[in-house]
Amino acid sequence: MKTIITAVMCLAGFAACGGNASWEITLSGTQAYISDGDWTFKAGLDNNRLRDVGGTVRAEGPYALTVGDCTVYPAAVTPLDFSKPLVNSTGNGREYAISSLTFKFGTFSGSTLTRVYTATAAGLVVGKLTLPVADHQFTISDQAFCGCKHIDFDLAGLPEGLTSIARNAFSDCDAYGKADCPNLATLGEYAFMNNEGITDLIAPALTAFNGYTFTYSGITNIYLGAESQLKSVGGSAFNCATNLVSITPFLPQGCTKIGRSGFEGCVKLASPLVYYGGTNDRIPTGSNDWGLFFNCQSLPSVDLSHSTMKFLTRQAFYNCYALEWVRLPEDFESMGAAGNQNEIFVNCTNLTTVTPFLPDTVTNVCGSAFQDCPRLRGCLTLKNVTHVYGKAAYGAGIDFVEFGPKLELIDSQAFAICPNLTGVSAPKKLRGVDVGTQVFHSSTNLTGELDLRFMTSLPGQFFRYANKVETLRLGDISSLGQMAFLDMLGLRQIYW
């Protein structure tokens, strides 16, 4: 069974609820009946016209609607029994059960669907849909415009009453422009993934950016408003959205969750980050999450001082070249997970200040936490830190390191190639600290006397090229590594 329609309604997976719409469908040929129990659209032999009587339209069924030469197929296939009479209608028409009608081609002008395209060589087919009034609630369902290429669709025509855009609704689609959606509360996964045409989104009622919402999209600016309802940002929500410049505010106070790689690769994102979070919330959330702001090359600052989150995980701010300062919570606990290669602030080449540096509550500094941060100056205070992992401050601009009484490990190259580092200190009674190789390799400004009686051994090339060190105080060490004092040209005295 096919129904030939000259004026089109319920394309693109749209659904409306509540209010009084004024919709019409003119049929030619076979009569049709469309219903989901709330809204009823029916056609009788007497007038050959579908008219609405209120409710929500869904589309379910195996049969295609045809507009001229353009066929629009339902997304879900449900066999129908056409032997049954038409329910709640006059005449002797037939019944359709259509629940997720997939509309592949179309454009809006204002609140009117003005054109329908065909994917075949049949050419352009014109249809018309008058959408509900502005205050009428409206939704766009799964994959409504997914894959619609070469479509002239201006997002400015989305209705004011739009409350939900479902999963994949505009993914891989050429819909373009600015979407002003004051009532949009739900934005599904992949909603605008690979959509290069969208530029702006205004969505003060939005509660979440779900996973992959704008991945590889053209989104440039997002305005959430002073009273933003945003609660979370899903994993990879903006992954490689390379045109994204601003989110205002960034982030709203109520946003307490950011998923893995949430903003990875947003190279133009230049909004200062203020993250509030909630009790025990983390950034990112979950032990396996990483890369939250990886390669956000224009991110200027990060203020986490209002948050109660406790740690940062792998590559959270890797390659954030423009980042200048970071504020941490006073009760922050861990600079990355235990172990090497966590790389939290690697290549943050303009980072000058971390406050506090570090909080007294920090117990762990992960591998490569501040690697290649040459402008990061000041005294690195490790008052209650037990483990400093490999390359923790490799190539950083720090001036001094103050170890605390709980120190157990300093791993390889933790403070190598720190050109401004002049000295280290540790409590006099500290003993039994394990150390790796080349811990202070090429830190050429280490000066004067160094008291290292807390160490259990002196591994190979520990101080290589530390030419200004004159005196070493070593305690009860168990071994000397190969080339332990290599190229320490200024060394004059060693006390055991």
Side-chain angles (χ1 to χ4, degrees):
M1 174 179 174
K2 281 191 175 181
T3 304
I4 309 300
I5 307 179
T6 56
V8 186
M9 200 289 297
C10 195
L11 299 177
F14 292 119
C17 56
N20 294 313
S22 178
W23 296 351
E24 287 187 345
I25 296 180
T26 302
L27 304 179
S28 78
T30 308
Q31 282 69 54
Y33 168 91
I34 303 175
S35 173
D36 74 346
D38 293 321
W39 281 64
T40 301
F41 291 85
K42 55 190 177 181
L45 293 175
D46 53 341
N47 58 15
N48 197 36
R49 182 178 296 274
L50 291 180
R51 57 189 179 82
D52 69 283
V53 295
T56 300
V57 172
R58 290 182 303 126
E60 304 172 31
Y63 297 97
L65 300 181
T66 302
V67 185
D69 294 318
C70 179
T71 301
V72 182
Y73 293 95
V77 176
T78 305
L80 302 178
D81 183 0
F82 287 100
S83 65
K84 295 180 180 180
L86 186 63
V87 180
N88 296 328
S89 179
T90 59
N92 55 0
R94 297 292 188 181
E95 177 175 334
Y96 269 133
I98 303 181
S99 86
S100 184
L101 198 62
T102 301
F103 171 53
K104 291 295 185 184
F105 318 93
T107 105
F108 281 101
S109 174
S111 61
T112 302
L113 179 65
T114 56
R115 281 183 287 180
V116 176
Y117 290 86
T118 175
T120 69
L124 178 68
V125 182
V126 178
K128 185 175 182 179
L129 166 65
T130 301
L131 298 178
V133 293
D135 61 351
H136 192 80
Q137 293 185 19
F138 208 77
T139 65
I140 300 178
S141 67
D142 291 7
Q143 303 183 22
F145 293 92
C146 180
C148 292
K149 295 295 186 181
H150 312 296
I151 179 177
D152 182 17
F153 189 113
D154 189 346
L155 292 168
L158 291 174
E160 184 177 331
L162 181 64
T163 60
S164 175
I165 297 177
R167 179 186 176 98
N168 284 108
F170 291 97
S171 61
D172 295 292
C173 170
D174 287 347
Y176 63 88
K178 176 180 179 180
D180 189 350
C181 305
N183 296 297
L184 181 65
T186 303
L187 193 57
E189 291 182 327
Y190 309 96
F192 287 92
M193 183 175 180
N194 291 327
N195 182 311
E196 298 180 359
I198 185 171
T199 58
D200 299 85
L201 174 67
I202 300 174
L206 190 66
T207 59
F209 292 108
N210 286 304
Y212 301 91
T213 306
F214 288 100
T215 295
Y216 295 106
S217 75
I219 190 69
T220 303
N221 299 290
I222 295 176
Y223 181 71
L224 300 173
E227 303 297 326
S228 173
Q229 302 301 304
L230 191 72
K231 299 295 187 293
S232 64
V233 177
S236 297
F238 294 91
N239 194 338
C240 293
T242 55
N243 288 328
L244 181 63
V245 173
S246 69
I247 298 177
T248 308
F250 188 53
L251 290 164
Q253 187 167 350
C255 182
T256 61
K257 179 181 178 181
I258 305 176
R260 175 175 179 166
S261 303
F263 296 92
E264 179 179 341
C266 295
V267 295
K268 296 180 182 178
L269 180 59
S271 296
L273 171 64
V274 180
Y275 179 73
Y276 290 86
T279 302
N280 297 322
D281 284 323
R282 300 165 178 177
I283 198 170
T285 56
S287 59
N288 294 320
D289 291 336
W290 58 283
L292 177 63
F293 288 91
F294 181 96
N295 208 33
C296 287
Q297 300 178 13
S298 303
L299 187 70
S301 61
V302 175
D303 187 353
L304 307 177
S305 62
H306 306 285
S307 170
T308 57
M309 62 94 176
K310 304 300 183 184
F311 70 93
L312 291 170
T313 57
R314 186 179 179 191
Q315 296 184 336
F317 297 97
Y318 190 109
N319 279 359
C320 291
Y321 302 129
L323 183 62
E324 294 183 358
W325 58 263
V326 175
R327 290 178 184 152
L328 299 174
E330 293 290 342
D331 58 352
F332 191 75
E333 293 179 0
S334 179
M335 187 58 65
N340 296 322
Q341 304 304 314
N342 279 271
E343 305 172 326
I344 294 176
F345 291 101
V346 169
N347 292 335
C348 292
T349 52
N350 278 297
L351 181 63
T352 60
T353 306
V354 175
T355 308
F357 191 47
L358 292 170
D360 291 347
T361 48
V362 170
T363 59
N364 174 77
V365 180
C366 70
S368 302
F370 298 104
Q371 182 178 338
D372 294 324
C373 296
R375 297 187 181 183
L376 181 58
R377 303 296 299 269
C379 176
L380 178 58
T381 304
L382 306 174
K383 184 175 181 179
N384 289 299
V385 169
T386 60
H387 292 73
V388 180
Y389 289 97
K391 295 188 176 181
Y394 181 101
I398 57 175
D399 299 283
F400 199 85
V401 179
E402 182 180 333
F403 298 116
K406 299 180 180 180
L407 187 66
E408 299 175 8
L409 172 70
I410 308 173
D411 213 343
S412 298
Q413 297 186 322
F415 303 100
I417 315 181
C418 293
N420 301 314
L421 184 63
T422 59
V424 299
S425 69
K428 291 183 178 181
K429 294 183 179 181
L430 180 63
R431 295 292 186 272
V433 177
D434 292 331
V435 292
T437 60
Q438 302 182 350
V439 168
F440 294 101
H441 187 293
S442 298
S443 291
T444 55
N445 268 311
L446 281 169
T447 304
E449 179 178 317
L450 295 179
D451 188 344
L452 303 177
R453 286 177 287 183
F454 58 85
M455 301 190 324
T456 60
S457 63
L458 189 67
Q461 302 186 47
F462 195 79
F463 285 107
R464 189 173 185 182
Y465 300 124
N467 298 324
K468 298 180 181 180
V469 174
E470 298 178 356
T471 303
L472 290 176
R473 293 190 179 274
L474 303 176
D476 187 16
I477 62 173
S478 59
S479 63
L480 282 176
Q482 187 177 21
M483 298 183 287
F485 304 106
L486 182 65
D487 293 321
M488 295 184 69
L489 302 182
L491 185 62
R492 299 290 183 267
Q493 301 177 86
I494 299 176
Y495 294 96
W496 301 90

